[in-house]
Amino acid sequence: MRKLIEKASDALYQQEEKKEERIAQLLDRHVDAMADRLTLKKYIYVLSGINFVLWACVMIFPYDIYKAFETVGNIDDRIVLTVVAIIFGIGMWLTYALFRLRFPELEDRGLGNDFLSSVAHQQGSYRRFHVWLASVAGGVLNLLALFIVELLRVESWRSP
């Protein structure tokens, strides 16, 4: 019985590990695709367009969005969390793409054989860390700003 449980646990662990590897490969593919300036600009245009549509919906239909979130939240919270995660992700990837436009060599992964190449690599790692941190902050700020504007618009809708 114990071996059966260990075998099932190992199988579950391997499935989770494969899933995480696929997500990492997908993330790497998109980050590597941003090395091309044309693709990077397409990312920026698409993400900006989606973000603009989200903001327009909040500004034009605040009460409808509030009711939809309330109705769906009463049924299943995971759907609401998924939508919130998508909105956060759009803001984060848009911020990252804008930084990537400013720093095109950001994801240079080669260490090189030059003298002090490890120091240059470490400085690049610091820059990458700060850019990713700023990207996460951009996603959070976009999400919070949308949420605050939504609440303010709903309150102005309700008050005469």
Side-chain angles (χ1 to χ4, degrees):
M1 181 71 164
R2 183 177 181 164
K3 289 187 179 191
L4 182 64
I5 293 173
E6 287 177 359
K7 195 175 196 181
S9 174
D10 288 341
L12 183 64
Y13 178 75
Q14 288 175 353
Q15 286 177 346
E16 288 295 320
E17 193 172 275
K18 287 179 184 178
K19 182 179 174 183
E20 289 174 4
E21 286 177 13
R22 284 186 301 223
I23 291 172
Q25 287 173 353
L26 181 67
L27 180 69
D28 283 342
R29 189 175 67 202
H30 284 283
V31 168
D32 290 340
M34 288 186 184
D36 180 34
R37 297 293 273 189
L38 183 62
T39 306
L40 179 62
K41 289 180 181 179
K42 287 179 185 178
Y43 269 93
I44 291 172
Y45 292 143
V46 168
L47 292 171
S48 296
I50 293 170
N51 202 29
F52 177 77
V53 168
L54 288 171
W55 275 94
C57 289
V58 165
M59 296 303 280
I60 297 170
F61 310 111
Y63 192 71
D64 296 330
I65 293 172
Y66 176 76
K67 279 302 200 186
F69 267 96
E70 187 177 53
T71 304
V72 171
N74 289 334
I75 296 171
D76 191 7
D77 289 336
R78 284 185 278 164
I79 297 171
V80 173
L81 290 175
T82 302
V83 170
V84 168
I86 289 170
I87 294 170
F88 164 75
I90 289 169
M92 183 189 76
W93 277 105
L94 179 59
T95 308
Y96 178 77
L98 291 172
F99 272 113
R100 194 65 193 265
L101 191 63
R102 174 77 172 106
F103 305 111
E105 74 287 342
L106 185 66
E107 294 294 334
D108 183 26
R109 297 181 186 189
L111 189 56
N113 293 329
D114 297 338
F115 184 67
L116 296 177
S117 63
S118 63
V119 173
H121 183 71
Q122 184 178 11
Q123 289 174 347
S125 296
Y126 286 141
R127 182 182 291 157
R128 269 192 302 279
F129 173 74
H130 290 294
V131 165
W132 278 108
L133 189 64
S135 298
V136 169
V140 169
L141 287 175
N142 185 48
L143 182 64
L144 285 176
L146 270 170
F147 182 69
I148 290 169
V149 168
E150 169 72 19
L151 289 179
L152 292 175
R153 296 282 295 162
V154 167
E155 284 300 316
S156 69
W157 181 279
R158 288 183 184 172
S159 62

